Amino acid sequence: MFDQLETMVGRYEELGELLSDPQVVNDTKRFMELSREEANLRDTVATYNEYKKVLETISDSEEMLGEGGLDEDMKEMLKEELSEAKSAKEELEEKIKILLLPKDPNDDKNIILEIRGAAGGDEAALFAGDLLNMYQHYAESQGWKFEIMEASVTSIGGYKEVSALVSGTSVYSKLKYESGAHRVQRVPTTETQGRVHTSTATVLVMPEVEEFEMKIEPKDLRVDIYHASGAGGQNVNKVATAVRMVHLPTGIKVEMQEERTQQKNRDKAIKLLNTKVFDYYQQIELDKQNAERKSTVGTGDRSERIRTYNFPQNRVTDHRIGLTLQKLDTILSGKMDEVIDALVVYDQTEKLAELNK
């Protein structure tokens, strides 16, 4: 492990030099790649350097205590310092183990977030809108960009389906555990008897696909151009700018009319379609591997009920890790850190347990 860490320190120092090289600075693509690599190493190197300082403190304290001739106050001070350093050493060793866990290659990617109203009709569509607002506010708190790509809105303001591009630092690493069925228990606005109903919405988090990762062949693509329409179906654009794309082998369809020009809608549509088609084929592979997967978090099972939002009791429960919080209003306002941090820690603990077997 320490040989690996020393190699990482050497590479981190090398990257620091490369990133100040004018030739690298002028090569935008290479500069971005190296900057990303440097950022990925930063926490590990800093933690390892801190660990080495703690080892020095332990060594120095033990040496001074072994020399003798110290007064009682000095001995007590050194013993306390030694005890604190040994505790810090254990904590840093655990942190280093986590930092050295195999990294998900998608963790640094942007995502396509897709939310659909599922069981429950209008109430499910309204809940899909609540989830969309929750993720949008969480994205804002993280300094991410949140951009609606396509949306199918119901007559009462909910969403049958909505897709958004969320871009920023380490988006997938934090939101990848959100895929699955989300259940809500509350009294719908349309309920006259005051009864609590249960509805569901599904969330799908897909890492954004780069062009080199997925390229759809022109023969597999049907493109339709049509006039964009607004609320109530009225035509809002005299020029045909809306784009519909269908991937013929899978039947996956996307429609884009958010932008004012056909080219911008076309660019967005192909980005969304690439990601959905890539995810479709990747999911087929994941389904084959599911029997071998050990972790209960992020298994890729989109039908799994992962969380319940209970309005009467202001309670949110994540069923995968047994986490219950009486903070539903806080979480739906976008303050999701407590839930997401718990999922990350649980997943890391599971992976560490697998490595230690």
Side-chain angles (χ1 to χ4, degrees):
M1 180 175 83
F2 294 107
D3 288 343
Q4 183 183 355
L5 288 163
E6 287 295 342
T7 300
M8 293 171 82
V9 170
R11 177 58 177 164
Y12 184 75
E13 291 172 353
E14 181 186 3
L15 287 167
E17 293 175 8
L18 285 169
L19 288 168
S20 61
D21 184 330
Q23 284 189 319
V24 173
V25 173
N26 291 329
D27 184 342
T28 305
K29 185 180 178 184
R30 189 168 181 225
F31 182 80
M32 292 298 291
E33 287 172 354
L34 294 177
S35 296
R36 202 173 293 125
E37 185 183 353
E38 192 250 9
N40 287 337
L41 289 173
R42 194 177 301 142
D43 279 353
T44 306
V45 170
T47 304
Y48 180 49
N49 286 335
E50 189 179 348
Y51 178 75
K52 287 193 287 187
K53 286 180 183 176
V54 167
L55 290 182
E56 282 181 23
T57 300
I58 292 172
S59 177
D60 291 345
S61 298
E62 287 178 337
E63 186 178 337
M64 290 177 72
L65 283 167
E67 288 176 353
L70 300 172
D71 61 40
E72 286 304 314
D73 287 344
M74 180 60 77
K75 278 185 182 178
E76 284 304 311
M77 187 184 76
L78 286 170
K79 284 178 182 177
E80 186 177 340
E81 191 177 74
L82 182 60
S83 176
E84 289 174 358
K86 284 183 175 179
S87 294
K89 175 177 176 283
E90 290 180 12
E91 290 176 12
L92 289 167
E93 282 174 346
E94 286 304 307
K95 187 176 178 182
I96 287 169
K97 285 178 187 176
I98 289 169
L99 288 167
L100 290 179
L101 283 172
K103 199 166 187 284
D104 186 329
N106 293 320
D107 274 354
D108 294 324
K109 288 189 174 183
N110 301 328
I111 66 161
I112 300 292
L113 174 69
E114 183 181 277
I115 306 172
R116 294 171 182 261
D122 284 341
E123 171 63 9
L126 288 171
F127 180 50
D130 292 337
L131 292 177
L132 178 70
N133 289 333
M134 177 181 77
Y135 291 123
Q136 189 163 8
H137 287 130
Y138 178 68
E140 288 168 2
S141 75
Q142 299 297 305
W144 298 337
K145 183 179 178 183
F146 195 97
E147 182 181 3
I148 302 292
M149 298 194 76
E150 63 173 350
S152 176
V153 184
T154 66
S155 58
I156 61 170
Y159 289 92
K160 292 178 185 175
E161 178 183 348
V162 58
S163 297
L165 172 64
V166 189
S167 51
T169 303
S170 304
V171 179
Y172 185 76
S173 71
K174 292 189 176 181
L175 290 181
K176 63 183 175 182
Y177 306 109
E178 293 301 299
S179 289
H182 294 239
R183 182 174 71 168
V184 63
Q185 295 173 325
R186 65 183 174 189
V187 179
T189 53
T190 53
E191 169 59 53
T192 57
Q193 304 293 320
R195 292 172 298 184
V196 173
H197 288 224
T198 298
S199 305
T200 58
T202 59
V203 173
L204 178 56
V205 175
M206 298 171 283
E208 185 186 14
V209 175
E210 306 288 347
E211 283 186 28
F212 67 85
E213 293 177 285
M214 180 75 203
K215 188 164 180 64
I216 295 173
E217 296 294 331
K219 65 181 176 62
D220 293 334
L221 190 63
R222 191 184 82 222
V223 181
D224 302 319
I225 307 299
Y226 59 101
H227 293 277
S229 61
Q234 74 266 29
N235 192 304
V236 296
N237 197 333
K238 293 181 179 179
V239 181
T241 58
V243 176
R244 180 187 300 111
M245 290 186 179
V246 181
H247 182 245
L248 299 174
T250 61
I252 293 172
K253 177 181 75 172
V254 301
E255 296 181 351
M256 200 65 56
Q257 62 173 29
E258 303 296 319
E259 300 293 339
R260 293 181 178 276
T261 69
Q262 184 188 128
Q263 187 58 51
K264 285 185 177 180
N265 280 322
R266 184 183 285 268
D267 291 344
K268 275 190 172 184
I270 195 64
K271 183 193 289 280
L272 183 56
L273 189 64
N274 274 341
T275 297
K276 287 192 174 187
V277 171
F278 185 84
D279 179 76
Y280 173 87
Y281 289 120
Q282 191 177 53
Q283 188 61 34
I284 291 173
E285 291 303 311
L286 278 175
D287 289 343
K288 292 177 185 175
Q289 299 166 18
N290 266 349
E292 301 170 18
R293 294 173 72 90
K294 307 295 183 185
S295 174
T296 57
V297 179
T299 59
D301 183 358
R302 277 87 185 270
S303 63
E304 176 189 8
R305 187 191 71 194
I306 65 168
R307 198 174 296 147
T308 294
Y309 304 74
N310 184 295
F311 274 70
Q313 297 176 31
N314 195 38
R315 184 182 71 221
V316 173
T317 301
D318 195 290
H319 304 288
R320 296 164 295 177
I321 61 175
L323 175 71
T324 295
L325 299 170
Q326 305 292 144
K327 300 179 179 179
L328 180 143
D329 50 349
T330 302
I331 290 165
L332 281 180
S333 72
K335 295 172 183 173
M336 299 177 65
D337 294 289
E338 196 168 350
V339 177
I340 288 171
D341 290 348
L343 288 163
V344 170
V345 169
Y346 184 87
D347 195 27
Q348 290 171 342
T349 304
E350 290 282 292
K351 287 173 180 172
L352 276 174
E354 285 295 314
L355 285 178
N356 293 332
K357 278 185 180 178

